[in-house]
Amino acid sequence: MGINYVLFMLLLCTRIAPAQTILTGRVTDQKGHALPGANVFLRGTYDGANTDSTGNFRFPTTRKDTATLLVSYIGYEPFSKKIRLGITAPLTIRLTEAANELNTVVITAGSFEASDERRMTMLKPMDIVTTAGANADITAAMNLLPGTQRVGEQTGLFVRGGSGEEAKVVIDGMIVQNPYFSSMPDVQSRGRFQPFMFKGTSFSTGGYSAQYGQALSSVLLLNTTDKTQNEGVSVSLNLANAGVSYDHATEKSSISATGYYGNLKPLFALVRQNIDWTHVPEFAGSSLTYRLKPTKNGLLKLYGMYSDSKLGMNFLDPSNDAGKTAFQQRNRNFFTTSTYTDSWADGRWLLHSGLSYSYDTDATTFDTQDFGRSSERAQGRLVLTRLFGANSLLVGAEAHAITIRNTVSGTNYALHDNYSALFLESQTYLGRNLAVQSGIRGEYSSVINRFNVAPRVSLAYKTGTFSQVSLAYGQFYQTPDYRYLFRNRSLDFERADHLILNYQLIKNKRTFRIETFYKNYAQLVREFTGQPGMPVQYDANPYRFPVGATNNGGNGYAKGFDVFWRDQKTVKGLDYWVTYSYVDTKRLFQQFPIEATPTFISNHNVSLILKRYFEKISTNISLTHTISSGRPYYNPNRTGELSETFLTDRTPVVNNLSLSASHVMSIRKNFVILYASVDNILNTHNVYTYRYTPSRDGNPEQTRYAVGPQSYRSFFIGGMIMLSKKAKVNINEL
Amino acid sequence: MKTIIIFIVAALAANSPVWAQSEPYKKAMNEAIGTMKGHTDKTSTADLVATANQFERIAGVEQKEWLPRYYAALNYILLGFTGKDEAAKDKYLDQADVNLKAAEAIAPDNDELAVLKAYVAQARMVVDPMNRWQQYGPLFQGGLAKAKSLNADNPRIYVLEGSSLMYTPEQFGGGADAGCPVLKQATEKFASFKPASDLSPMWGQKQIEPLLVKCPK
């Protein structure tokens, strides 16, 4: 009895009547504003409560001595603190807002992102496909962004005074050797890649990361999707081609295959052509994508594509007595890339690696002569990133083996270049309002046996909740055009320095952005045509092969600004954006006798894009209006001082209004998209440039030809059907 | 004497680890589930957050139970459908993902969690359907397909599938013609479905009632 009684008393004291403590306090943000609905509790216990509308909490606990108090609130850093439970004074807890897109500065100078991953992005991948005048071509869509030039008869991206050769296309970190279909005289070629292959696009208009090189002006970074977009088979048919694609995914892997055949005959039969086609472009191709997740975070992607195209035309050629020259071309292109990405230690270490190979060959007949051209590029790349919270440090290396072959008038030219680079880049946040990105890149090119070191730095400062300013500076090098290197391998890298200042304001589905830049060109290749000892001559023939003496004596500048405004708010359902780019540039390069504005430059470029989705008829309508001011052209009839006559003539303004519509429907549970577009509704007879015939038959006046688009007003229609029930598209409340 | 011994045994038992864990757990869960059952579509954001917090507190203690994480995630998904602030919706859905991930670590290959995964994808898509259907549409379908492969009799699979079809415009393959048969399937599955315990997920039937009204009898 006695023992039991003692035991009972003991139990009574220690367990049966535990002492209760009431914990009270208040949870606020750093400024002292109440945070209602915060979760306050003691670790490992049920003791806890939510804060009320005034941020106060109160709960009892049976814990004694010490405990760990945890506080969590969405959007804020979790809070934990060891507390003594004897104290009854109210607790005051100040939470720190977690870093997010709204409260953290991002480095933006010189880059323009189209991404699914970031909410604050100015453009979505869908915008590329649904923009009139872009014809679902990535490059054409980029040409509607600020900082670009529209050069109707040439292929490539012309960014802030840069030529098409100064911009590179990069897929998953790997430089694409031939991103566009082979170019034909005076005809702009499309990009080879389908927009839906990519989950994100980052278009740099300058000052880009030390991770990339070999581009004096710009890089277009395309990142392929990690998953298949649909399940099953889809068939597409339009006026130019027919294609079929198949997608299948399992939990660990996925496969996508496409095949297409295209022939522009039906389209050209309907749309009047300004070009005398002898073989209407015909092309066929296929691609295969395979993705595998071998480990939890690892992802292996393999992509391969092959395409074959054929065409023939009589193009306007002033140098020919007949005024035109026959041109035929057969192109074969093969491109494969494999990348492996992985991460370790909760994402603190990231690996990006890749291998790629491309082969491209053109069999070309120019008049009666055969020309051959081929290029080969093999590359490897490895980038390792270490994250320290928001800060990061990355180190990487890349190596390329490039072989170029050319046959000109029976002479074979060949070159081999081993290009390698090493780069280091860090990103540091000095608080949430200030970020610094600094990088350095070292490059070596074996063909010219030269080495360079290029530093780059970007700063961004948040000036308000919705606005920020950014500044970027960098040095960029590019190996000279291989056409010059065939004859002279003692040339040095061409160089450009960029300085960019940017301001942007993103608020409530409205974006305003203005960027101003100064670009300095140095060590540009100059070519000296004509006889040695004689005054410098200018040879206006665009198809000439450079055979004159060359050196790195060229230089130049480009300066200007561009503005972007997008509004998805003011009119319900209407999304529009306006861009204006101004560039002032002069160069002494190529075979220019004096410093002048190059022929691909128009000082003013404006584009207006309007989009509206009509829910009742599930149709998306898009309207694009672009205006480019006149470009310089060479007029040999001008007499007088070279400085007053060289490239001083300007072509008329180029004006284009395009409309496109896409309609979504379902036929027997199969998802169908129909689309139609009209290019150049106003039927403007745009002129891109003029060329002159040599003086003939004692007639001193040279006659000029206008080079314009392939066709003036044109239209296009097509459709896509996703067969199989699995290919259902779920557009809730679209 | 006898009573004292019984009392001591009872007192000790009440403090023994086996009992102590499950009793407060059940009590806490029943209480939180009870609160949740009282919620309607008019329940305030604050109350939904409070309930999610309640489940997260339980999850903090019961680290081997997946259900507290499940319910916390479910509440955050519901929060993802409320309000107008897109960024806030995404934040709630991020928190749903955190809980879902923790639950999956405890109970891999669970059909209810697969359903929830599809539900998160749907909620994400609804935030910005124009730009997100391509990304989240397949994830939604994938979640449902996985749930079906684990337990084709789970009625909640058909609740999500059917209601999604009902809200999808006819031109995209939705509408009553497509949705009603699936919703009816859900009703049939509910009739024979036996929850594993009284803490197990039981939602769905009430949610589809207003949709079933639109279906031909």
Side-chain angles (χ1 to χ4, degrees):
Chain A
M1 170 73 202
I3 293 165
N4 281 332
Y5 183 72
V6 171
L7 194 61
F8 176 62
M9 286 312 288
L10 258 169
L11 280 164
L12 204 73
C13 297
T14 59
R15 306 195 172 200
I16 295 178
Q20 273 203 346
T21 318
I22 307 282
L23 274 175
T24 59
R26 188 162 185 258
V27 180
T28 68
D29 64 10
Q30 289 297 322
K31 285 177 186 154
H33 299 303
L35 295 177
N39 200 359
V40 188
F41 57 106
L42 298 181
R43 175 178 284 157
T45 74
Y46 282 99
D47 305 336
N50 305 313
T51 55
D52 61 17
S53 59
T54 56
N56 286 301
F57 66 86
R58 178 190 170 87
F59 64 87
T61 178
T62 52
R63 280 287 286 266
K64 285 184 152 317
D65 304 329
T66 59
T68 307
L69 181 81
L70 300 177
V71 183
S72 65
Y73 187 73
I74 286 205
Y76 284 75
E77 301 281 359
F79 175 91
S80 89
K81 190 187 177 187
K82 229 176 180 143
I83 54 161
R84 286 192 61 85
L85 288 161
I87 299 155
T88 47
L91 296 152
T92 304
I93 296 137
R94 280 171 185 258
L95 298 184
T96 314
E97 209 179 345
N100 64 45
E101 281 191 1
L102 258 179
N103 66 21
T104 311
V105 71
V106 274
I107 288 175
T108 49
S111 83
F112 216 98
E113 264 183 76
S115 158
D116 260 344
E117 285 165 357
R118 288 185 49 234
R119 168 179 296 283
M120 303 291 282
T121 168
M122 288 170 217
L123 214 63
K124 297 276 181 185
M126 267 304 272
D127 289 329
I128 296 169
V129 194
T130 56
T131 300
N135 301 318
D137 180 19
I138 300 166
T139 327
M142 294 301 140
N143 269 333
L144 300 171
L145 294 182
T148 56
Q149 299 273 150
R150 283 177 295 273
V151 183
E153 83 287 8
Q154 291 179 44
T155 301
L157 278 166
F158 296 77
V159 182
R160 290 185 175 158
S163 73
E165 282 83 40
E166 294 174 27
K168 288 279 189 297
V169 176
V170 175
I171 293 184
D172 291 335
M174 318 299 281
I175 292 186
V176 184
Q177 176 76 8
N178 306 95
Y180 309 102
F181 284 105
S182 277
S183 54
M184 319 163 228
D186 295 336
V187 178
Q188 193 175 58
S189 298
R190 283 176 71 89
R192 289 185 191 271
F193 303 97
Q194 298 293 320
F196 281 119
M197 271 176 65
F198 306 104
K199 66 174 173 190
T201 305
S202 174
F203 173 53
S204 130
T205 45
Y208 62 86
S209 155
Q211 284 199 60
Y212 310 101
Q214 285 291 302
L216 287 183
S217 285
S218 150
V219 283
L220 174 62
L221 305 173
L222 303 169
N223 294 317
T224 57
T225 55
D226 298 336
K227 296 186 178 75
T228 58
Q229 297 295 313
N230 292 295
E231 270 286 284
V233 176
S234 67
V235 176
S236 66
L237 186 71
N238 59 44
L239 277 177
N241 76 69
V244 59
S245 73
Y246 172 75
D247 291 276
H248 179 67
T250 63
E251 210 164 306
K252 286 230 157 87
S253 70
S254 71
I255 197 157
S256 309
T258 66
Y260 61 86
Y261 168 78
N263 193 325
L264 295 167
K265 221 170 218 166
L267 179 67
F268 289 178
L270 296 165
V271 178
R272 213 182 95 85
Q273 294 291 297
N274 297 332
I275 288 166
D276 175 14
W277 295 101
T278 54
H279 186 120
V280 165
E282 194 186 351
F283 45 92
S286 60
S287 75
L288 189 73
T289 312
Y290 176 73
R291 308 169 192 88
L292 177 72
K293 271 190 86 66
T295 59
K296 198 161 167 264
N297 296 314
L299 179 65
L300 176 75
K301 284 189 217 171
L302 297 170
Y303 174 76
M305 69 174 243
Y306 174 76
S307 72
D308 192 325
S309 63
K310 218 175 178 174
L311 59 95
M313 66 199 279
N314 288 319
F315 71 96
L316 296 177
D317 182 4
S319 62
N320 193 313
D321 282 340
K324 56 186 181 180
T325 296
F327 174 86
Q328 280 171 319
Q329 191 172 65
R330 166 114 192 243
N331 172 262
R332 289 190 187 94
N333 180 273
F334 173 70
F335 174 65
T336 178
T337 175
S338 60
T339 56
Y340 180 73
T341 52
D342 209 339
S343 72
W344 301 277
D346 295 325
R348 285 195 295 273
W349 285 97
L350 305 165
L351 169 82
H352 287 264
S353 61
L355 287 171
S356 98
Y357 172 77
S358 70
Y359 181 75
D360 184 82
T361 177
D362 277 327
T364 309
T365 344
F366 223 85
D367 206 355
T368 53
Q369 290 192 62
D370 281 338
F371 285 82
R373 190 200 63 81
S374 76
S375 66
E376 233 179 312
R377 183 191 286 254
Q379 59 185 315
R381 184 179 162 89
L382 191 78
V383 182
L384 204 58
T385 310
R386 173 78 165 98
L387 301 179
F388 306 91
N391 301 332
S392 64
L393 182 70
L394 75 80
V395 58
E398 60 181 309
H400 302 239
I402 307 148
T403 304
I404 310 273
R405 290 189 183 86
N406 237 336
T407 311
V408 181
S409 316
T411 313
N412 290 320
Y413 296 91
L415 288 184
H416 182 80
D417 185 21
N418 288 322
Y419 165 80
S420 49
L422 206 65
F423 48 89
L424 192 73
E425 190 172 69
S426 72
Q427 187 152 322
T428 315
Y429 282 89
L430 306 162
R432 296 226 171 89
N433 287 340
L434 181 64
V436 184
Q437 180 177 293
S438 46
I440 191 153
R441 183 181 177 90
E443 301 170 301
Y444 173 76
S445 165
S446 74
V447 68
I448 50 175
N449 191 21
R450 298 270 187 171
F451 179 78
N452 72 57
V453 176
R456 291 166 204 181
V457 61
S458 297
L459 285 163
Y461 179 71
K462 208 166 164 60
T463 47
T465 315
F466 306 103
S467 64
Q468 64 167 61
V469 286
S470 311
L471 184 71
Y473 168 79
Q475 291 179 3
F476 303 85
Y477 290 92
Q478 193 167 345
T479 309
D481 192 319
Y482 291 112
R483 289 180 312 145
Y484 296 120
L485 295 177
F486 284 129
R487 308 208 21 122
N488 179 5
R489 291 189 194 172
S490 61
L491 289 171
D492 200 348
F493 287 107
E494 294 186 299
R495 173 179 163 174
D497 299 344
H498 299 181
L499 184 65
I500 297 164
L501 181 66
N502 157 303
Y503 171 80
Q504 74 176 37
L505 180 78
I506 303 179
K507 190 182 177 183
N508 218 346
K509 295 194 168 181
R510 290 188 192 103
T511 303
F512 172 75
R513 182 183 134 119
I514 184 162
E515 200 165 275
T516 172
F517 64 93
Y518 184 84
K519 203 162 160 182
N520 184 51
Y521 282 101
Q523 296 166 219
L524 297 181
V525 175
R526 278 194 79 187
E527 187 201 347
F528 302 91
T529 50
Q531 295 303 311
M534 294 292 283
V536 188
Q537 293 280 308
Y538 181 73
D539 184 351
N541 180 3
Y543 311 113
R544 54 186 293 282
F545 185 77
V547 289
T550 47
N551 68 20
N552 280 94
N555 58 62
Y557 71 89
K559 60 186 180 193
F561 67 94
D562 40 62
V563 186
F564 175 84
W565 166 252
R566 185 171 187 177
D567 178 355
Q568 294 170 276
K569 180 87 183 171
T570 309
V571 182
K572 200 175 180 296
L574 179 76
D575 174 10
Y576 72 90
W577 77 74
V578 193
T579 70
Y580 168 71
S581 311
Y582 169 74
V583 62
D584 164 24
T585 180
K586 274 188 176 168
R587 281 191 196 196
L588 178 65
F589 80 138
Q590 295 177 349
Q591 12 129 5
F592 278 28
I594 57 157
E595 193 180 64
T597 302
T599 55
F600 52 82
I601 297 295
S602 50
N603 301 109
H604 309 273
N605 277 275
V606 182
S607 54
L608 167 68
I609 288 105
L610 285 151
K611 284 182 202 193
R612 182 151 193 178
Y613 182 70
F614 294 89
E615 205 173 323
K616 287 230 168 74
I617 49 166
S618 57
T619 301
N620 189 69
I621 307 268
S622 163
L623 198 70
T624 298
H625 190 189
T626 62
I627 304 163
S628 302
S629 64
R631 286 160 39 192
Y633 66 93
Y634 179 68
N635 182 352
N637 291 332
R638 289 232 173 256
T639 50
E641 281 295 311
L642 201 56
S643 59
E644 278 157 27
T645 60
F646 183 64
L647 296 181
T648 47
D649 290 85
R650 292 285 184 280
T651 58
V653 169
V654 170
N655 199 331
N656 190 326
L657 181 68
S658 306
L659 178 81
S660 80
S662 55
H663 175 70
V664 204
M665 58 197 273
S666 144
I667 300 176
R668 292 180 175 229
K669 292 196 175 179
N670 296 309
F671 184 69
V672 178
I673 304 171
L674 298 174
Y675 52 87
S677 66
V678 189
D679 189 47
N680 190 11
I681 300 169
L682 306 173
N683 201 25
T684 317
H685 285 217
N686 287 320
V687 171
Y688 296 147
T689 190
Y690 293 106
R691 303 238 165 79
Y692 287 78
T693 59
S695 40
R696 288 196 187 95
D697 311 323
N699 182 1
E701 274 291 293
Q702 305 188 16
T703 337
R704 75 177 190 185
Y705 288 92
V707 175
Q710 276 186 72
S711 53
Y712 295 123
R713 180 160 48 209
S714 69
F715 66 93
F716 197 74
I717 52 168
M720 194 168 101
I721 176 161
M722 289 175 207
L723 293 166
S724 106
K725 283 187 184 156
K726 273 187 166 177
K728 199 178 293 156
V729 177
N730 236 289
I731 313 185
N732 275 13
E733 300 164 20
L734 190 84
Chain B
M1 172 69 203
K2 208 174 167 187
T3 38
I4 289 173
I5 290 171
I6 292 167
F7 192 88
I8 290 168
V9 171
L12 282 169
N15 284 288
S16 79
V18 186
W19 258 52
Q21 276 235 319
S22 70
E23 257 327 299
Y25 169 61
K26 277 190 185 166
K27 186 173 164 269
M29 282 294 276
N30 275 321
E31 210 178 286
I33 292 170
T35 316
M36 218 184 138
K37 277 183 181 159
H39 287 172
T40 63
D41 45 350
K42 287 186 185 74
T43 303
S44 71
T45 307
D47 287 346
L48 283 170
V49 170
T51 312
N53 283 346
Q54 216 174 336
F55 282 113
E56 280 189 340
R57 285 200 292 270
I58 301 171
V61 184
E62 311 291 342
Q63 303 205 352
K64 291 199 170 92
E65 301 287 349
W66 64 275
L67 280 167
R69 291 286 176 195
Y70 173 92
Y71 283 108
L74 184 59
N75 275 286
Y76 281 117
I77 293 170
L78 299 176
L79 280 161
F81 282 104
T82 59
K84 278 193 170 167
D85 184 349
E86 291 181 7
K89 287 183 190 187
D90 270 333
K91 273 189 202 164
Y92 289 130
L93 295 170
D94 287 345
Q95 193 60 24
D97 274 334
V98 167
N99 281 292
L100 194 54
K101 216 176 151 188
E104 279 180 319
I106 303 166
D109 291 331
N110 179 308
D111 58 315
E112 296 289 2
L113 292 176
V115 171
L116 220 53
K117 224 172 172 171
Y119 209 178
V120 176
Q122 189 188 41
R124 294 252 188 213
M125 184 160 62
V126 171
V127 174
D128 185 5
M130 272 289 246
N131 287 304
R132 292 193 179 179
W133 63 270
Q134 258 207 319
Q135 191 182 356
Y136 292 104
L139 285 179
F140 176 69
Q141 299 291 352
L144 293 183
K146 172 137 192 237
K148 269 184 201 169
S149 75
L150 292 166
N151 177 14
D153 291 328
N154 186 331
R156 274 167 289 282
I157 301 169
Y158 310 94
V159 169
L160 289 192
E161 193 178 1
S163 49
S164 159
L165 284 168
M166 292 295 279
Y167 287 119
T168 305
E170 272 175 42
Q171 56 268 36
F172 301 121
D177 286 354
C180 286
V182 186
L183 288 178
K184 281 185 180 147
Q185 218 178 339
T187 313
E188 284 161 26
K189 300 274 182 191
F190 271 119
S192 57
F193 187 76
K194 293 251 180 319
S197 77
D198 28 313
L199 298 181
S200 297
M202 273 173 248
W203 59 273
Q205 202 153 15
K206 230 168 71 183
Q207 281 86 343
I208 57 172
E209 273 164 15
L211 291 174
L212 279 164
V213 174
K214 294 178 192 162
C215 292
K217 288 282 173 276

